Amino acid sequence: LAEIKYELAAVDETSVFYLLPLDARTTVVERFYNGARWVYVRHYTSPTTSVSSIFIHQRRVFAFTTNGYLAERRRNTMDRLEWAVVLTSKEAHMAVSSTRHKPASLFALTNFDQIVERRGAQQATVESGEFEPGVTNLEHMAMFSHMNTMRERPMALVDVESLEPSLLFLAGASGGLLEAMLNSRQQYASVRNLGHPPRMPLAPFRGASLRKAKSTLARSLFLVALTGELIELVLRLDENLYEWVVHGMPGQALRTAPGPSLHERSVFVVTVSGTVAERFQRGAEWIWLDHGCPVDEAGTALPVAQTPGVVLNDVTVFFKLENGLLAARSWEGKHWAWTVVDVPEVGSAEYCEGDVGSLNSCMAISA
């Protein structure tokens, strides 16, 4: 499996962020409904900086740059959208937002194999208009370093406190799942290796958590193996037991992190051929559903890109296509349907610059 890319994120039903090559660099573009029409907002970084991945934390947009910075897009008191550095150069290579139990916490895995947690979320005024490497950390957040006591190197943050408030999961260098538990000093220092299913080492991807619909005592974490299978770790709280479940492949190998999940009963995945499949639970049975991929007017397939999709609402999942377009897979009451979203081509459409005006971006409302 190739290195995973996270090129798509959604804040709510009105805003989807994605990465798009513009003016010789990869930048963040937002498709935003401002109450009257859909607009496109270009959130430029500096002229020499490209963005490699994006994610959402507390309705706020963060981007990893190709030169090793983690930056946040903010709107200041002058109503201008600007970038500010949150983590310094090459300090971290992966970050995960804690949503269920500690929503103000942002976790990152540093290049020194430490887990860094930033707590708190006060806004600050930013002076520079575009992202510049020299900008200092302007976010008033307390930094907590969770020292690494692992016997092997962690390769990816898989899940942060979605299954249980005190549990954090990482993918280890040997392909096993590492569980870190919060101790009495509020540090993730107690680590054990949960391994992996036989001959299925884990890919260094984020996981997708799921709560069993009929039982509050069961939690699931869906993962992808290096061999391309979908696998599930079931945590049974009443017995304090873990169980591995192998879901296999939907006819072909998977190539992205699992996700997203709809209604806590299904997981969407992307295959090596660029099609979408859904693993969903019907009663006690798990079923594969092939969603294929959209086609153009000539009937030519439009493969899905190597990045996980995002849930827009209860019936719609967005995906990025290999050609840079966005596509929505929607449940229309009786059947599923693909819709290719018109993303303006470079030089052929008007964009909102996003620097002035509260109707130009979902980030008009400060967190």
Side-chain angles (χ1 to χ4, degrees):
L1 292 176
E3 182 180 358
I4 190 67
K5 298 178 181 179
Y6 299 100
E7 299 183 358
L8 192 62
V11 173
D12 51 33
E13 293 189 35
T14 63
S15 189
V16 177
F17 293 82
Y18 59 99
L19 300 187
L20 192 67
L22 285 174
D23 302 333
R25 53 180 163 164
T26 300
T27 194
V28 180
V29 174
E30 177 188 5
R31 183 176 186 264
F32 171 61
Y33 187 73
N34 64 10
R37 63 190 180 96
W38 287 97
V39 297
Y40 289 85
V41 190
R42 290 183 291 195
H43 299 285
Y44 274 131
T45 55
S46 68
T48 59
T49 303
S50 286
V51 175
S52 59
S53 63
I54 52 177
F55 70 98
I56 305 298
H57 174 63
Q58 285 191 294
R59 290 181 51 86
R60 297 154 68 187
V61 180
F62 292 82
F64 274 107
T65 66
T66 52
N67 58 354
Y69 288 82
L70 176 62
E72 180 192 349
R73 191 66 164 165
R74 300 175 180 168
R75 188 178 292 276
N76 67 13
T77 55
M78 301 298 293
D79 208 18
R80 294 180 62 88
L81 286 171
E82 298 163 328
W83 288 103
V85 176
V86 176
L87 292 175
T88 57
S89 179
K90 302 187 187 306
E91 182 178 345
H93 61 268
M94 187 175 191
V96 173
S97 174
S98 176
T99 56
R100 280 185 173 150
H101 301 291
K102 294 166 70 175
S105 287
L106 174 66
F107 289 80
L109 182 61
T110 75
N111 291 332
F112 304 102
D113 301 339
Q114 286 185 326
I115 303 164
V116 175
E117 177 188 359
R118 306 184 72 87
R119 300 176 190 169
Q122 263 187 312
Q123 292 291 328
T125 300
V126 186
E127 300 299 332
S128 63
E130 289 192 338
F131 173 79
E132 296 291 346
V135 177
T136 57
N137 180 8
L138 297 175
E139 183 162 1
H140 303 300
M141 300 179 77
M143 174 76 81
F144 295 83
S145 179
H146 303 284
M147 299 299 295
N148 178 16
T149 59
M150 307 172 196
R151 295 184 178 181
E152 66 175 293
R153 184 179 183 184
M155 303 301 293
L157 280 166
V158 172
D159 181 80
V160 177
E161 302 184 333
S162 291
L163 271 68
E164 277 296 289
S166 60
L167 295 181
L168 184 149
F169 294 92
L170 305 98
S174 66
L177 185 66
L178 308 178
E179 176 202 62
M181 185 173 294
L182 198 67
N183 62 20
S184 58
R185 293 177 294 177
Q186 296 298 298
Q187 287 192 327
Y188 286 94
S190 178
V191 180
R192 62 171 174 166
N193 194 330
L194 302 177
H196 56 78
R199 297 177 296 282
M200 293 183 186
L202 302 181
F205 298 164
R206 287 200 303 243
S209 62
L210 210 72
R211 294 184 177 226
K212 298 296 185 181
K214 294 183 179 180
S215 173
T216 58
L217 297 177
R219 308 282 189 272
S220 287
L221 183 62
F222 282 85
L223 310 158
V224 170
L226 285 173
T227 48
E229 290 95 351
L230 180 68
I231 56 182
E232 176 189 4
L233 178 72
V234 180
L235 168 60
R236 304 191 184 281
L237 299 178
D238 53 343
E239 303 175 34
N240 194 26
L241 293 176
Y242 287 111
E243 176 186 357
W244 287 108
V245 178
V246 177
H247 291 268
M249 308 176 186
Q252 51 189 319
L254 310 181
R255 69 171 181 175
T256 67
S261 170
L262 275 181
H263 307 294
E264 298 284 359
R265 71 176 186 90
S266 69
V267 176
F268 286 80
V269 293
V270 179
T271 70
V272 291
S273 66
T275 61
V276 173
E278 179 186 6
R279 187 66 166 169
F280 74 96
Q281 192 171 21
R282 180 183 293 166
E285 182 183 11
W286 283 96
I287 299 171
W288 280 110
L289 177 62
D290 181 15
H291 288 270
C293 65
V295 297
D296 61 16
E297 294 180 355
T300 304
L302 302 174
V304 176
Q306 185 184 321
T307 190
V310 293
V311 171
L312 194 67
N313 52 43
D314 289 342
V315 295
T316 305
V317 182
F318 261 77
F319 295 92
K320 184 181 178 183
L321 304 181
E322 288 184 350
N323 62 7
L325 297 178
L326 297 178
R329 186 63 168 169
S330 302
W331 176 252
E332 298 188 346
K334 294 183 178 180
H335 61 87
W336 287 95
W338 281 106
T339 303
V340 177
V341 179
D342 181 22
V343 177
E345 296 180 1
V346 177
S348 66
E350 292 294 327
Y351 286 83
C352 295
E353 289 301 332
D355 56 352
V356 177
S358 61
L359 294 181
N360 280 5
S361 172
C362 75
M363 286 174 287
I365 304 173
S366 299

